[in-house]
Amino acid sequence: MKKLRCLLAVAGLAIAFSASAAGNASLEVQHGWVRWLPGGLPAAGYLTIVNRGNEPVALVKASSPDYADVMLHRTTSSGGTTRMEPVDRMTVPAHGQAALSPGDYHLMLMQAKRPVAPGDNVAVTLQFSDGALLHTQLKVRPANQVN
Ligand SMILES: [Cu+2]
């Protein structure tokens, strides 16, 4: 992971979050969970966003009171190597849904501020391109439980 880009993303998050606290009744989060890793390693957050509205909307930021940083990442594979990189947004189509899921988009939860363990819930706030904020809870699962 590129540290400079992480820092820039965090700075952007702080600015964006001071701008709006509106909701969007067309959006819903389902199946939220965290794949927990031992030893203070970053954890991955997965969820499905349902958009019942008439306009596409994009997930642009996320934060959690339980982690110092939350980044939006995407895992890609090419030539037998798998890597992940920060992305700016994930679009959720009108009358559709989009998922953060293993091997694809995910939230990268960095530097837990409290001991987080399987069985816990992690609070996450998602911010969308229309300014809407959505608060959700992700269930923490052990690394060997994939679904
Ligand atoms: Cu990642």
Side-chain angles (χ1 to χ4, degrees):
M1 274 169 276
K2 299 184 181 76
K3 195 161 190 178
L4 179 60
R5 291 191 65 173
C6 295
L7 292 171
L8 290 172
V10 170
L13 188 69
I15 293 164
F17 263 84
S18 63
S20 172
N24 180 335
S26 299
L27 297 174
E28 183 187 336
V29 174
Q30 298 177 346
H31 311 305
W33 62 286
V34 168
R35 180 155 63 193
W36 176 88
L37 294 173
L41 288 168
Y46 304 113
L47 51 91
T48 298
I49 301 165
V50 176
N51 179 12
R52 297 193 174 87
N54 295 321
E55 301 291 335
V57 67
L59 173 64
V60 294
K61 301 284 181 194
S63 69
S64 171
D66 298 324
Y67 288 86
D69 288 351
V70 181
M71 302 181 70
L72 183 58
H73 277 184
R74 188 172 197 182
T75 300
T76 55
S77 308
S78 66
T81 53
T82 299
R83 57 194 292 261
M84 60 185 180
E85 55 191 18
V87 292
D88 294 333
R89 56 177 50 221
M90 181 187 76
T91 299
V92 187
H95 302 290
Q97 63 181 45
L100 298 119
S101 59
D104 199 344
Y105 290 101
H106 56 277
L107 301 178
M108 204 80 244
L109 306 166
M110 319 277 290
Q111 301 168 44
K113 294 181 181 175
R114 64 173 176 89
V116 174
D120 289 355
N121 285 308
V122 166
V124 167
T125 298
L126 305 175
Q127 187 189 332
F128 293 88
S129 50
D130 63 355
L133 299 177
L134 212 156
H135 306 284
T136 190
Q137 299 275 338
L138 309 183
K139 188 78 178 171
V140 181
R141 298 178 181 172
N144 59 2
Q145 188 178 336
V146 295
N147 262 303

